[in-house]
Amino acid sequence: VSEERNREAVKHLWAVFDAFEFARAAEVLSPDFVCEWPQSRERIRGAADYIALNEGYPGRWRCRLHRLLVDGDRAASLVEVTDGSTTVWASSFYELRDGCIERAVEYWSTPFEPRPGREQWVERF
Amino acid sequence: VSEERNREAVKHLWAVFDAFEFARAAEVLSPDFVCEWPQSRERIRGAADYIALNEGYPGRWRCRLHRLLVDGDRAASLVEVTDGSTTVWASSFYELRDGCIERAVEYWSTPFEPRPGREQWVERF
């Protein structure tokens, strides 16, 4: 039951981000939620600041949840984020309690060109 | 029990990559293992080609498994990969059967500079 609540919480987070209804993220974020982005060594403390930051990001981005795993009080998601021209992928690792997200560590991935010299092992799609 | 075998399989994969004993990855990869990298739209078919590609990548890379979630026959890992000067993070989403990895979709993340204008919501670490 707890795992199902955790699963629904992460689904809700990305659904409201996709809908651009950022304030509703507070329904599943702990007030003292903390998010970390190791790539830029940035940390956002508090659901309010996390929501404000996301609201303030320029552009209209759609979020499509491709994968969601729940393992006890931890979850991982893979979300494709696109504004129609640029696509990035968010890999997020969550810690939850009773369906409430307390912590996230997020990694952002952008398109890249295949490294030359490995064509013999690779096909393109 | 199946989840524990799946967990051990992913741990083994990254342990042998960290040890640069690539051939031993075959112990946990299905022969018809398929790996996809959506960022470059590359697909590697077969454990042998996946091992050869990784063996052929230049440099001595250490792999540190930070996070590992198992949800039935699916798993997700977050691994910090570094050669001592460059650091990248691999987010991998696996499909397994009886402790054997059949499919992986991997996303690579590299360091980036914080976007200007969000300092009021962010602390650095």
Side-chain angles (χ1 to χ4, degrees), chain B residues 31-92:
Chain B
D32 57 355
F33 168 77
V34 176
C35 177
E36 288 185 357
W37 293 333
Q39 293 161 273
S40 57
R41 299 178 173 276
E42 290 177 283
R43 181 184 295 120
I44 304 108
R45 287 190 184 276
D49 277 14
Y50 184 70
I51 289 168
L53 185 154
N54 278 285
E55 270 182 332
Y57 198 92
R60 175 62 175 105
W61 299 85
R62 300 300 306 266
C63 303
R64 185 176 162 205
L65 179 65
H66 281 279
R67 292 172 186 275
L68 173 56
L69 285 78
V70 176
D71 182 346
D73 277 341
R74 299 180 304 148
S77 65
L78 187 286
V79 175
E80 187 176 357
V81 181
T82 182
D83 68 353
S85 58
T86 298
T87 296
V88 300
W89 293 268
S91 302
S92 307

Side-chain angles (χ1 to χ4, degrees), chain A residues 32-46 49-50 53 103-106, chain B residues 114 118-125:
Chain A
D32 57 355
F33 168 76
V34 176
C35 178
E36 289 184 357
W37 293 333
Q39 292 161 271
S40 57
R41 298 179 173 275
E42 290 177 284
R43 181 184 295 120
I44 304 108
R45 288 190 183 276
D49 276 13
Y50 184 70
L53 184 155
R103 185 156 186 265
V105 184
E106 295 189 301
Chain B
R118 63 189 181 204
E119 297 83 357
Q120 69 267 45
W121 301 303
V122 168
E123 64 183 39
R124 304 297 305 281
F125 64 92

